[in-house]
Amino acid sequence: MELFDLKGKTAVVTGAARGIGKATADLFEKAGANVARIDIDAVPGMISADVADEAAMEKAFKKIGGVDILVNNAGIAVRKNSLDITLAEWQRVIGVNLTGLFLCSRVAARSMKQPGKDGLPRGGAIVNLASIMGFSGGIFPNPAYQASKGAVVNLTRALALEFAEFGIRVNAVAPTFVRTDLTAPIFTDAALLEKVMRHTPLGVLPEVDDIAAAILFLAGPAARCITGVTLPVDSGYLAR
Ligand code: NAD
């Protein structure tokens, strides 16, 4: 079980007020980590801030101190087709899902590359939330979200290569549909849900804890030689 032990580690989870972020922060605490939770919503126990606001992120990370693990989980969707989505909506989705993830990653990496007791960079692990929508055109129009998540997959590779010399690993998970507030419109639409299940070979969709488990794996010692990958947690969706 040492492979999944985060004792003594400081982890930051963004978008931690609910859903996958909350499940991940809770699991990390069970694994022994000291967890700082960031969310745009002013919920007790959270640092309330917008991941797309660089100055706010710098302030938040300064307050937290040395960071060993970052989970870039905060994300939004505006499910409108290309002809209807406004420029402001498009920019906000890209701003949170891609630019916010980039900003948090570089603020965290500056902390992780600082020398530890042995004089070498202390290193760390970053885990990004991509999506099966980053690998496919999806099953309904969602262009801003799909563009943002496709970019997260490739930014994960780029940052993995750039940060490797500091001992920082960068990976991502790509969930299929998971029941959260974000996906309530899908889970309450019987016809759409039926379509989702037709694309789900295992016949069962993951819960938030299944995604948190994959994030824990990538964040901890079990994945010490894994970097630059995006791990689908998709019940076989992408295998087609
Ligand atoms: P959710 O809506 O339940 O939770 C997202 C959290 O992020 C919320 O607490 C929200 O307040 C916070 N947040 C949103 N914008 C923020 C910002 N600018 N700054 C700080 N916090 C912000 O969503 P979820 O389903 O738990 O999704 C979490 C992540 O997983 C997202 O990146 C999402 O794209 C990804 N994902 C979810 C699914 C799914 O089916 N639920 C599938 C694939 C990927």
Side-chain angles (χ1 to χ4, degrees):
M1 292 320 291
E2 279 163 21
L3 292 172
F4 303 96
D5 189 356
L6 301 186
K7 228 174 277 131
K9 302 290 182 192
T10 296
V12 177
V13 180
T14 69
R18 60 184 71 83
I20 293 168
K22 181 178 186 311
T24 302
D26 291 349
L27 184 62
F28 276 21
E29 276 182 359
K30 277 190 201 148
N34 170 31
V35 183
R37 302 172 187 233
I38 296 177
D39 204 282
I40 198 163
D41 286 355
V43 174
M46 300 291 133
I47 299 171
S48 173
D50 181 348
V51 294
D53 178 342
E54 187 168 25
M57 284 306 104
E58 277 168 356
K59 195 172 155 204
F61 277 77
K62 201 168 168 196
K63 191 172 157 195
I64 294 161
V67 175
D68 302 295
I69 298 165
L70 166 66
V71 181
N72 277 310
N73 168 79
I76 57 170
V78 176
R79 299 184 185 97
K80 289 187 182 173
N81 66 41
S82 298
L83 301 184
D84 293 330
I85 192 166
T86 67
L87 179 58
E89 288 168 334
W90 169 274
Q91 285 173 334
R92 183 62 180 156
V93 174
I94 301 294
V96 174
N97 295 4
L98 176 59
T99 311
L101 177 150
F102 169 71
L103 294 174
C104 289
S105 298
R106 69 174 180 179
V107 176
R110 284 184 188 126
S111 166
M112 292 169 178
K113 72 181 272 221
Q114 293 305 312
K117 283 189 193 111
D118 54 5
L120 296 170
R122 58 188 276 166
I126 298 174
V127 184
N128 298 325
L129 267 289
S131 167
I132 53 168
M133 295 303 150
F135 288 102
S136 75
I139 55 175
F140 54 83
N142 198 4
Y145 188 81
Q146 282 154 343
S148 71
K149 294 299 183 178
V152 167
V153 172
N154 215 29
L155 181 60
T156 297
R157 297 186 184 108
L159 294 181
L161 294 179
E162 189 179 330
F163 295 161
E165 66 172 299
F166 308 123
I168 302 169
R169 297 182 300 102
V170 187
N171 293 293
V173 295
T176 181
F177 297 92
V178 182
R179 193 186 294 269
T180 65
D181 289 0
L182 185 72
T183 50
I186 295 148
F187 280 86
T188 50
D189 180 333
L192 195 48
L193 194 55
E194 200 260 329
K195 201 169 173 186
V196 168
M197 294 317 293
R198 269 191 272 128
H199 289 261
T200 305
L202 281 182
V204 59
L205 293 171
E207 303 289 339
V208 290
D209 290 341
D210 296 303
I211 311 304
I215 296 170
L216 174 64
F217 164 64
L218 289 172
R224 74 185 185 96
C225 291
I226 299 177
T227 198
V229 307
T230 297
L231 174 65
V233 186
D234 69 346
S235 302
Y237 181 103
L238 292 173
R240 289 187 191 278

